[in-house]
Amino acid sequence: IGRIGDTRGRKTALLLTIFMMAAGTVLIGLLPSYQTIGVLAPLLLVVARLMQGFSAGGEWGGSTAYIVEWAPKGQRGWFGSFQQTSVVAGLLLGSGVAALMNTVLTPEQMEAWGWRIPFLLGGILGPVGMWMRRSIHETPAYREVEARGEVGKMEESGWLLAARAFGFTIVWTVCFYVLLNYMPTWTRQYM
């Protein structure tokens, strides 16, 4: 998806990621059970999760590039940090919805049908996000590269920089998920 952002524009990549995330999320919420459609149920769940995963990965780089390319010079790090803040805000919002659902519904209701509600609520964000992203403008940096006819071209040193960024991203991602996803489980089990 990052390559799509580099060759067709940040806006196109961001429209694709919001569509994929919304579609994957709604698919999970509407997915028939194994008892209804058999082995197709887990296969569709894997497809939906892959859509969400590719979307999240593409969103990360695309939205950060978009924010940073619009940021005033000298404030790119500050503005770029809002992308990470929004990820954590989304995790908190999702946790809040799950907590509310578990408070309002009985465990039996949650297991039977209540677990679908957060996924369907998440699907509402799709059309809102698509509407918002359709009205954004392409970044000045992308328009400048496009005007020079250099869209999608990468210098030899660009590949080395891309490999470094990839390695850094792996380290950051592992730290992020260990702290925000695994630590609560570990704390609950061992503390």
Side-chain angles (χ1 to χ4, degrees):
I1 294 176
R3 182 75 177 148
I4 291 170
D6 290 343
T7 58
R8 303 195 188 221
R10 309 287 186 229
K11 179 179 177 177
T12 301
L14 291 173
L15 281 166
L16 176 62
T17 59
I18 194 83
F19 173 77
M20 286 175 50
M21 182 59 77
T25 301
V26 169
L27 179 59
I28 292 172
L30 297 176
L31 197 62
S33 68
Y34 183 84
Q35 291 77 15
T36 306
I37 61 171
V39 75
L40 194 56
L43 291 175
L44 287 172
L45 179 60
V46 169
V47 168
R49 291 295 293 138
L50 285 171
M51 289 172 69
Q52 288 180 319
F54 287 126
S55 171
E59 178 76 16
W60 192 280
S63 62
T64 303
Y66 189 86
I67 292 168
V68 168
E69 288 176 4
W70 273 107
K73 291 201 187 280
Q75 293 186 320
R76 291 182 174 167
W78 168 248
F79 278 77
S81 70
F82 288 113
Q83 194 278 349
Q84 177 63 34
T85 304
S86 70
V87 170
V88 175
L91 286 171
L92 287 173
L93 179 62
S95 296
V97 169
L100 177 67
M101 296 300 301
N102 279 296
T103 302
V104 172
L105 300 177
T106 67
E108 294 77 24
Q109 290 172 320
M110 276 300 289
E111 188 175 325
W113 54 268
W115 65 269
R116 294 176 184 274
I117 294 173
F119 290 100
L120 297 174
L121 287 174
I124 293 171
L125 297 176
V128 172
M130 292 288 287
W131 173 76
M132 289 174 63
R133 290 185 178 185
R134 285 182 57 146
S135 62
I136 64 175
H137 298 288
E138 196 54 72
T139 66
Y142 181 83
R143 287 192 311 245
E144 183 181 310
V145 170
E146 188 177 42
R148 291 193 313 251
E150 298 175 358
V151 169
K153 295 180 182 174
M154 187 184 295
E155 298 175 15
E156 297 258 343
S157 63
W159 291 105
L160 179 59
L161 290 173
R164 280 181 167 168
F166 182 75
F168 178 75
T169 302
I170 289 172
V171 171
W172 170 246
T173 302
V174 168
C175 293
F176 178 82
Y177 283 106
V178 165
L179 287 173
L180 289 179
N181 289 342
Y182 178 70
M183 286 305 289
T185 301
W186 185 88
T187 304
R188 187 172 1 112
Q189 192 168 1
Y190 296 107
M191 297 300 273

